[in-house]
Amino acid sequence: MHLPIRSNVLQSLTVTTRGAPPRTPDASPQALSPARRVLRDTFGYTEFRPGQPEVIGAVLARRDTLAVMPTGGGKSICYQVPALLFEGGLTVVVSPLLALMKDQVDALGQAGVRAAAVNSTMPREEQAQTMREAIAGGLQLLYVAPERFGDGAFMAALRKARVALLAIDEAHCISQWGHDFRPSYRDLGSVRPRIGNPPIVALTATADPEVRDDIISRLALRDPEVHVAGFDRPNLHFGVVRVKNQEEKAELIAAKLRDLKDESAIVYCGTRKRVEDLTEYLRRQRIRCAGYHAGMEDKDRKSTQDAFARDKARVIVATNAFGMGIDKPDVRMVIHHDMPDSLEAYYQEAGRAGRDGAAAECVLYFAPRDRSLREFFIELQHPEPAIVVDIYRALASAGGQRVHVREVMKSDDERGVNAAIQALAESGLAARSGQMAWALRSDGEDRIDLKGLEAHRQHAYSKLDAMQRYAESLTCLRARILDYFGDVGHGRSCGACGPCLAPPRGAQAVDEAGDELFQDLRAVRKRFAETENLPPYVIFSDATLRDMAARRPRTRAEMLNVSGVGQVKFERYGEAFLAVTKRVAGPPPPSSRQPAPETPLRDRHGRALPETVRRTWELLRAGQDIPAIAAQRGVTTSTIATHIGHLIAHGEIEDVSPWVDPVTLAKVRGAAGGGPVGALGPIKEALGEGITYEQLHIARACINREHAV
Ligand code: ADP
Ligand code: ZN
């Protein structure tokens, strides 16, 4: 194998300049002509894909680079092409998946590239042989799993090689915010200085802005070039249909599928139960469809997948479990019966439409109450810190005895108990085996990472907020998605999505730049109007929201300068609007993310009440209702309801009639079969729209307290 290129341009790129300062990236055709030649000669492609020229230009200029491209967008080329241009220098590629590594190495070998992988499953001697080759300058690319950097022999060998570039694939695995955090990625930040300070290129398909920031800081990227590219899918047409309730949704979805005739469609639902209900409903409407969720037998899932692939089943109604390995090119429609928990999840699922490049439609059905399902799941995965503390206390008070997990939740909200125990286990305070859990020490309460727990929770809620703003958007949906992902260079209006084709009345009159923010603020206002049953203008007028959109206040004082925002209104609503304007005004000051310090106050049984619950209690006693407290404190109404549940469990509150009338309470009792109330999901399904999760929290605490006494 010979290196295909030798030119003056390349002299400056060789690793003989190791340690030289990074240059200004140059993605011009001249500067990239060697790269283009490699693309053609070695890989056989004539054109770069979107984003590849910019990323390769930056990498060749020895800049730290973060490349964000969708799956299949062509990330590998971004480090493989430079690797072939760094003469005599080695590109080390970190990748989490052994199988993928092997495929890459084989494919590169076929193309005549000198690539190899080392991993712990290989015999020691084979690893040593590969490393000798690397040191001798005989390798261009070396693929490794992140754990390798903890291996002394490997590191010693690597130090002798000339590492020209450190490429980190699936870089989101380093972020705790990511869906795919891997502990083995955690230490990658310290690798660079130990291998001669090469530039780093980090690659990921995850576009969550916080994950992106986290990658940059954890890898300590130096003044990185960030390129987000290739997310636009011009053949997809986005739409949102707003409905009153679940019945209307089902009817409209049936009509939509009927119009689709014999084409393929996927309908995503938020729960298994909804998959089953909708499948049944559609069948009654004579629409042939198959259900799919993770609770089904493997063989049934497999046969459903096959039937879909072979056009035997045209419509699949599924949870998000349906997707891995589905690459049917001609899905013409992806319908969402329930909004996912983030725009990324939405885009990933919707993106299964139109892989063949022909027009396809992505429609989200949205009812005002849909948010509560998502909040329910967030509470499961990211329980309030107060709940984690409570569970720790319950375990600690058992003095290291094994306790059934059901017992630690009996007097309180069990949502999130699994996540809570896991969090305790991760901080070494508790352990779990099957359904039994126990405390490992009894004095560890202040070692619970309250800030971390709260930050994760807030992160989940802010992703949900972005999803909801999409669902409620009156402006271009495509622009919203691409903005969220940080993909630049697209128009403000695609001309092909729901709002672009049928702009809502009045929306056009609004100034373009402030418009999205204005719409976001309207969405917040709408929520308050709904929960408080007030006309929106009573909360803030359009003129006030416009002024807010123009000024983008960051602080309480700035918010009070907005025309129409007085002290009282600020107390009631200010924080919620500020949360929106702050986001566009720039990153929030670090302190605003952190929860209030916990200054426990004893309840009447001598147990400490977390500060956050105590504040809610004070506001309740001052006569405020749930929406007002939630608005004032900038948390969800559901959170306030869990506080009330807490207060009921602690015996502070006995009368629940302000929130739950006796008839509703009796219904919940009935649905729970006369025993303690467990998970709320099934009860909510049984009782339907007539009861809110807030009421359910409170009813459960009330009923379970009777059982606890
Ligand atoms: P990712 O890692 O972003 O998911 P890959 O790097 O595996 O994507 O690339 C996806 C596919 O696209 C691969 O088959 C790759 O060879 C191909 N590909 C990458 N760049 C180009 C290009 N410029 N032209 C044509 N095909 C490309
Ligand atoms: Zn549009």
Side-chain angles (χ1 to χ4, degrees):
M1 165 69 202
H2 62 100
L3 279 173
I5 304 138
R6 226 168 262 280
S7 75
N8 288 337
V9 182
L10 286 180
Q11 293 310 311
S12 63
L13 299 176
T14 61
V15 283
T16 51
T17 60
R18 191 158 73 157
R23 293 179 288 112
T24 308
D26 186 351
S28 69
Q30 292 94 321
L32 281 180
S33 74
R36 214 170 279 283
R37 235 173 302 154
V38 173
L39 185 74
R40 194 185 53 225
D41 296 348
T42 306
F43 296 96
Y45 301 134
T46 48
E47 286 302 323
F48 282 120
R49 293 241 183 103
Q52 287 176 340
E54 291 81 3
V55 176
I56 291 173
V59 172
L60 290 178
R62 308 178 51 77
R63 287 287 300 270
D64 278 355
T65 310
L66 172 60
V68 187
M69 290 182 193
T71 304
K75 287 185 281 297
S76 321
I77 291 285
C78 294
Y79 57 83
Q80 288 168 347
V81 166
L84 303 198
L85 293 170
F86 290 135
E87 275 182 57
L90 177 68
T91 293
V92 176
V93 185
V94 182
S95 161
L97 299 167
L98 290 186
L100 224 73
M101 253 184 242
K102 186 173 178 323
D103 289 352
Q104 292 254 19
V105 169
D106 289 348
L108 288 168
Q110 294 297 321
V113 177
R114 286 169 285 133
V118 286
N119 64 64
S120 53
T121 67
M122 287 165 47
R124 220 57 210 175
E125 178 43 37
E126 201 179 324
Q127 296 184 37
Q129 173 58 33
T130 303
M131 291 315 291
R132 280 195 290 275
E133 239 177 290
I135 294 166
L139 279 183
Q140 294 164 307
L141 289 123
L142 178 66
Y143 284 77
V144 297
E147 294 84 358
R148 286 294 82 202
F149 298 108
D151 179 307
F154 172 78
M155 288 306 281
L158 201 53
R159 265 192 298 273
K160 290 188 215 144
R162 297 200 302 160
V163 180
L165 175 66
L166 179 59
I168 299 180
D169 209 357
E170 312 289 352
H172 58 274
C173 295
I174 202 172
S175 172
Q176 307 248 20
W177 302 123
H179 50 89
D180 200 14
F181 171 66
R182 286 163 195 256
S184 61
Y185 264 63
R186 190 163 29 202
D187 300 327
L188 284 180
S190 66
V191 167
R192 167 173 25 208
R194 290 150 62 209
I195 58 173
N197 276 314
I200 292 179
V201 57
L203 308 109
T204 180
T206 305
D208 174 327
E210 289 193 66
V211 172
R212 228 153 49 201
D213 291 347
D214 215 19
I215 292 172
I216 292 172
S217 70
R218 282 169 192 269
L219 288 176
L221 299 187
R222 300 181 285 232
D223 183 22
E225 289 272 325
V226 180
H227 289 286
V228 184
F231 282 93
D232 193 14
R233 298 275 307 276
N235 62 316
L236 299 187
H237 297 257
F238 295 94
V240 176
V241 177
R242 296 182 189 93
V243 298
K244 283 199 296 294
N245 52 36
Q246 305 301 318
E247 289 77 49
E248 193 185 353
K249 246 186 212 176
E251 279 165 32
L252 293 177
I253 289 174
K256 188 91 188 161
L257 290 170
R258 223 172 265 124
D259 286 348
L260 191 63
K261 303 269 167 1
D262 279 332
E263 310 271 18
S264 294
I266 306 174
V267 184
Y268 280 111
C269 295
T271 65
R272 294 174 188 184
K273 175 87 167 64
R274 289 192 179 174
V275 167
E276 281 159 10
D277 291 350
L278 187 65
T279 310
E280 209 182 293
Y281 174 84
L282 293 174
R283 284 185 181 148
R284 278 205 306 275
Q285 301 293 309
R286 304 186 164 280
I287 291 168
R288 288 179 44 199
C289 61
Y292 184 103
H293 58 67
M296 288 163 47
E297 299 267 336
D298 279 356
K299 67 170 180 7
D300 294 341
R301 290 166 62 177
K302 177 95 177 52
S303 73
T304 304
Q305 270 192 19
D306 288 348
F308 187 60
R310 285 183 283 105
D311 287 333
K312 294 255 164 58
R314 186 171 77 76
V315 175
I316 300 290
V317 181
T319 60
N320 62 3
F322 187 71
M324 287 298 193
I326 308 290
D327 42 19
K328 187 171 166 57
D330 58 350
V331 176
R332 289 276 74 82
M333 193 181 282
V334 171
I335 287 178
H336 276 80
H337 178 276
D338 302 295
M339 69 174 174
D341 58 6
S342 69
L343 256 183
E344 281 133 282
Y346 177 71
Y347 202 48
Q348 186 177 41
E349 288 160 16
R352 297 192 174 118
R355 289 250 168 93
D356 54 7
E361 216 182 327
C362 309
V363 194
L364 167 66
Y365 288 79
F366 179 70
R369 294 189 182 227
D370 286 357
R371 181 182 170 96
S372 63
L373 178 69
R374 286 300 154 202
E375 289 193 349
F376 175 76
F377 286 124
I378 292 178
E379 296 293 332
L380 274 184
Q381 286 168 327
H382 304 287
E384 272 207 87
I387 292 176
V388 180
V389 171
D390 251 23
I391 287 174
Y392 178 68
R393 286 182 190 160
L395 291 175
S397 68
Q401 296 287 324
R402 295 181 177 225
V403 182
H404 197 282
V405 289
R406 230 185 2 246
E407 274 177 55
V408 294
M409 57 171 114
K410 81 172 174 240
S411 68
D412 203 344
D413 194 316
E414 103 291 8
R415 281 199 309 179
V417 72
N418 291 320
I421 293 176
Q422 194 185 331
L424 292 171
E426 278 165 12
S427 21
L429 297 177
R432 175 177 188 156
S433 165
Q435 289 303 301
M436 305 303 281
W438 60 97
L440 293 174
R441 47 189 290 180
S442 59
D443 60 346
E445 190 169 318
D446 42 351
R447 291 194 18 193
I448 300 174
D449 179 13
L450 297 174
K451 283 181 188 165
L453 291 168
E454 184 60 23
H456 272 90
R457 195 176 147 80
Q458 292 307 328
H459 183 64
Y461 272 108
S462 78
K463 291 174 80 149
L464 179 59
D465 288 343
M467 181 70 238
Q468 183 169 357
R469 286 201 298 280
Y470 174 89
E472 295 178 339
S473 176
L474 300 177
T475 57
C476 181
L477 297 172
R478 183 187 308 276
R480 264 195 187 262
I481 292 172
L482 295 176
D483 280 349
Y484 177 78
F485 284 176
D487 202 336
V488 292
H490 57 84
R492 299 315 311 157
S493 160
C494 73
C497 69
C500 283
L501 291 170
R505 277 183 304 122
Q508 275 160 328
V510 184
D511 137 62
E512 273 268 307
D515 185 43
E516 277 183 29
L517 178 54
F518 176 66
Q519 299 304 346
D520 290 348
L521 294 169
R522 282 175 62 125
V524 174
R525 180 178 68 178
K526 185 156 163 266
R527 282 218 299 281
F528 279 120
E530 275 163 7
T531 45
E532 302 197 357
N533 205 11
L534 287 171
Y537 64 83
V538 172
I539 293 165
F540 285 130
S541 70
D542 275 6
T544 296
L545 295 191
R546 290 238 169 76
D547 195 38
M548 223 180 262
R551 290 169 184 261
R552 307 186 167 198
R554 294 188 52 140
T555 59
R556 177 193 158 96
E558 287 174 14
M559 184 57 101
L560 285 167
N561 281 336
V562 172
S563 134
V565 182
Q567 291 285 351
V568 175
K569 282 212 178 157
F570 182 86
E571 292 306 330
R572 283 182 85 90
Y573 311 114
E575 290 294 344
F577 288 90
L578 199 52
V580 175
T581 53
K582 256 194 317 214
R583 255 200 297 271
V584 279
S591 61
S592 73
R593 286 201 155 271
Q594 290 156 12
E598 303 277 314
T599 41
L601 182 98
R602 303 280 141 194
D603 70 2
R604 64 177 66 151
H605 305 286
R607 290 173 299 188
L609 271 181
E611 163 75 3
T612 175
V613 175
R614 195 167 63 83
R615 281 195 55 203
T616 297
W617 186 208
E618 280 165 10
L619 295 169
L620 282 169
R621 278 182 302 186
Q624 301 224 37
D625 60 6
I626 297 178
I629 299 174
Q632 177 169 339
R633 304 202 43 205
V635 300
T636 63
T637 49
S638 199
T639 296
I640 301 302
T642 54
H643 292 171
I644 295 175
H646 216 90
L647 290 162
I648 294 169
H650 281 252
E652 293 291 334
I653 293 178
E654 298 203 30
D655 176 18
V656 299
S657 63
W659 308 288
V660 191
D661 62 87
V663 177
T664 307
L665 200 57
K667 279 191 193 154
V668 177
R669 272 204 187 87
V677 184
L680 296 184
I683 298 198
K684 173 83 174 119
E685 297 270 5
L687 300 181
E689 295 291 318
I691 185 163
T692 62
Y693 270 116
E694 286 76 22
Q695 290 177 312
L696 275 173
H697 278 300
I698 294 167
R700 175 172 55 190
C702 175
I703 294 166
N704 288 357
R705 186 173 147 70
E706 292 158 13
H707 287 278
V709 174

